[in-house]
Amino acid sequence: MAIAIALIVLAGGSVLFYFLSPWHLTPLASNWGAIDDTIIITFWVTGVVFLAISLFMAVALIRYRHQHHRRALYEPENKRLELWLTGITTLGIAALLAPGLFVWGDFVRAPDDAHEVEVVGQQWHWSFRFPGRDGVFGDARNALIDVANPFGLVADDPHGQDDVLVDHPAVLLPVDRPVRVLLRSKDALHNFKVPAFRAKMDAVPGQVTSFWFTPTRTGEFQAVCAELCGIAHFAMRARVQVVEPQRFDAWLAEQPTHGERIARGPGNPEAGQAHYAACQACHGPRGQGQQATNAPRLAGLDARYLRRQLHNFRVGARGTREGDDFGRQMRPFAQSLPDEAAIRDLAAYIETLPLAPTAATVEGDRRLGERLYRSCATCHGPQGRGRAAYRAPRLAGMSDWYLVRQLEHFRAGIRGRHPQDAYGNQMVDMAQVLVDDAAVRSVVAYIGGLATEE
């Protein structure tokens, strides 16, 4: 009787939870209401089966409970019952599968007037590519991917020169215009999912998969990876902003093409040396950093990371939050750089500065720090030298007191919570592994003991 009552309570509670739950699907923002209908059909079919089985078990437990004067009737076969069960099961499975098959057929068959965007996944980053004015994507191969060619475009393919490259996890799409999404992965299996669009698809290494949708309302939506792809899977996000077509066209025209990225080059260190004159008062003539001025070491950081941080200071993604006093001091210096070319030149010069050993100022439990650093090593490397492919800077040899402050800022959300600081957002999540100040100081103390030699 206790089991029968528990089954009845479980079935009734499940029904009440379904109808009274405050958690529902996010508001639909695309044309895929058919997917919502399929989900609802699935709920009803599985819900009816769940109730029928639960109540049948409860009735059977009550009606056929043990009594001393009764004996069980053993019936090894009942063809009539088996036919009924087989027929009902077949109808239930058909009711589950048929709507999905029809919807899937439409989901992967894009209309002829759909424009295209390629979504490229890697651990743990999304990037995007649009065809240029010729309307044709250039050939791309994973074997050609490196720091200078993150999309792996074939150099001698003329169709690739005008491809528009968005090498950060934020993209704009026009409202009420169908878009065909092509997916490619650089490494592991990923899944690009925008819950509000009811749209998702696996990105499979070595293959190009696709689906399509039409955004039906403007706004900003979050894209996530819906396939467990590694340690920072939960932090692999992107922003998809749906805007009016005129704004989309203007934004797309501002993005660099593959040919333009090649032509502009990495920057001129000689020109950057003149810009560094404003930096050396705080950061030192050789970029060695000075704790007295709260200025961290710059020597040893790669130009790409430096460019991103200077850009973040300029646009307010860093140095605007309450509590980031020294970040606020950096903003005017970053804004004094006249343009993006000056940022590239300055970053190129800083990259040439030699990395010299630094004195340790932070004490902590290095054994604990070594265990905690295993999560960091995936992106920053086992020796803390950084990995450009993961957009992760060098840690070994950097100012340890500055690392402590930044980790504390990440944990508190003072740094990294700005919508335009995608990699800062990842660090906010990852920094929560460090549960207290002792853990922060321990991992920094361990980083301080990593070799700085290349």
Side-chain angles (χ1 to χ4, degrees):
M1 288 297 294
I3 296 176
I5 293 172
L7 286 170
I8 294 171
V9 171
L10 177 63
S14 299
V15 172
L16 289 175
F17 180 81
Y18 175 74
F19 286 105
L20 302 179
S21 171
W23 297 290
H24 303 281
L25 293 172
T26 56
L28 183 65
S30 81
N31 59 308
W32 285 118
I35 290 182
D36 280 9
D37 296 338
T38 303
I39 292 173
I40 292 172
I41 291 172
T42 302
F43 266 125
W44 278 102
V45 172
T46 55
V48 169
V49 172
F50 169 73
L51 284 176
I53 293 175
S54 298
L55 295 178
F56 171 77
M57 291 175 63
V59 169
L61 286 169
I62 295 171
R63 184 173 179 180
Y64 302 108
R65 65 188 182 277
H66 173 70
Q67 295 182 13
H68 291 291
H69 63 278
R70 292 197 305 185
R71 293 178 60 124
L73 175 63
Y74 175 64
E75 188 175 358
E77 289 187 9
N78 188 324
K79 292 185 177 180
R80 184 179 179 183
L81 178 60
E82 290 176 3
L83 287 173
W84 271 103
L85 291 176
T86 302
I88 293 173
T89 303
T90 301
L91 291 175
I93 293 175
L96 285 173
L97 294 181
L101 292 175
F102 284 109
V103 173
W104 176 261
D106 292 336
F107 191 65
V108 297
R109 188 167 49 245
D112 294 336
D113 61 341
H115 72 106
E116 293 184 323
V117 57
E118 182 186 63
V119 179
V120 182
Q122 72 170 79
Q123 295 174 312
W124 291 273
H125 170 78
W126 297 109
S127 53
F128 306 88
R129 179 168 64 124
F130 293 86
R133 292 186 177 181
D134 61 3
V136 180
F137 279 117
D139 189 19
R141 301 173 187 172
N142 280 7
L144 301 177
I145 291 173
D146 57 24
V147 175
N149 186 12
F151 288 81
L153 298 185
V154 177
D156 57 357
D157 184 354
H159 294 301
Q161 294 302 306
D162 64 348
D163 282 1
V164 177
L165 308 182
V166 183
D167 194 20
H168 55 271
V171 67
L172 269 64
L173 295 175
V175 68
D176 294 328
R177 185 188 298 178
V179 54
R180 181 174 182 239
V181 181
L182 306 173
L183 292 114
R184 184 161 57 98
S185 172
K186 297 182 182 181
D187 39 41
L189 184 66
H190 301 285
N191 184 292
F192 184 73
K193 175 183 178 181
V194 184
F197 297 158
R198 305 297 189 270
K200 58 178 287 188
M201 180 65 73
D202 280 349
V204 184
Q207 298 182 19
V208 176
T209 55
S210 69
F211 67 96
W212 77 277
F213 65 94
T214 300
T216 55
R217 63 184 176 92
T218 58
E220 185 171 296
F221 308 96
Q222 187 177 82
V224 299
C225 179
E227 193 75 48
L228 183 60
C229 61
I231 191 170
H233 153 74
F234 66 95
M236 186 173 169
R237 306 188 187 102
R239 291 184 299 115
V240 179
Q241 192 171 358
V242 180
V243 297
E244 296 298 332
Q246 298 84 352
R247 183 180 172 191
F248 167 75
D249 293 337
W251 170 83
L252 192 63
E254 295 172 355
Q255 305 309 307
T257 65
H258 178 54
E260 290 170 348
R261 287 168 63 100
I262 295 174
R264 71 186 183 187
N268 182 355
E270 294 182 1
Q273 186 174 7
H275 294 299
Y276 187 75
C279 311
Q280 65 180 7
C282 293
H283 293 278
R286 306 299 291 169
Q288 71 273 18
Q290 298 181 116
Q291 190 172 3
T293 57
N294 288 287
R297 171 186 287 276
L298 300 179
L301 295 174
D302 67 272
R304 188 174 184 177
Y305 176 77
L306 292 166
R307 290 197 302 267
R308 187 167 75 241
Q309 298 311 309
L310 287 169
H311 176 76
N312 285 348
F313 279 120
R314 283 170 66 88
V315 301
R318 284 192 65 181
T320 56
R321 295 295 295 269
E322 189 71 29
D324 190 10
D325 298 331
F326 304 114
R328 291 184 177 187
Q329 293 178 6
M330 259 301 300
R331 282 206 71 201
F333 288 97
Q335 291 172 324
S336 69
L337 296 168
D339 51 31
E340 290 295 327
I343 290 178
R344 290 197 301 274
D345 294 342
L346 175 58
Y349 172 71
I350 295 174
E351 194 176 42
T352 66
L353 298 176
L355 178 64
T358 55
T361 65
V362 174
E363 296 182 357
D365 183 347
R366 292 197 177 188
R367 288 188 177 181
L368 172 62
E370 183 178 11
R371 293 198 301 271
L372 293 171
Y373 185 74
R374 292 171 187 168
S375 297
C376 314
T378 306
C379 291
H380 294 277
Q383 295 301 314
R385 294 172 183 169
R387 287 177 170 172
Y390 294 98
R391 278 74 171 174
R394 167 185 277 274
L395 300 179
M398 296 296 106
S399 306
D400 56 4
W401 52 268
Y402 179 76
L403 294 178
V404 168
R405 188 165 74 211
Q406 295 311 299
L407 286 172
E408 290 173 346
H409 283 187
F410 280 126
R411 289 181 63 225
I414 295 173
R415 179 180 173 185
R417 278 304 186 204
H418 194 280
Q420 295 189 41
D421 189 4
Y423 306 106
N425 270 267
Q426 290 184 348
M427 269 302 302
V428 170
D429 294 334
M430 297 302 295
Q432 305 312 313
V433 174
L434 306 173
V435 296
D436 53 27
D437 291 341
V440 170
R441 302 184 75 84
S442 294
V443 75
V444 171
Y446 173 75
I447 292 170
L450 297 176
T452 58
E453 296 84 7
E454 296 298 335

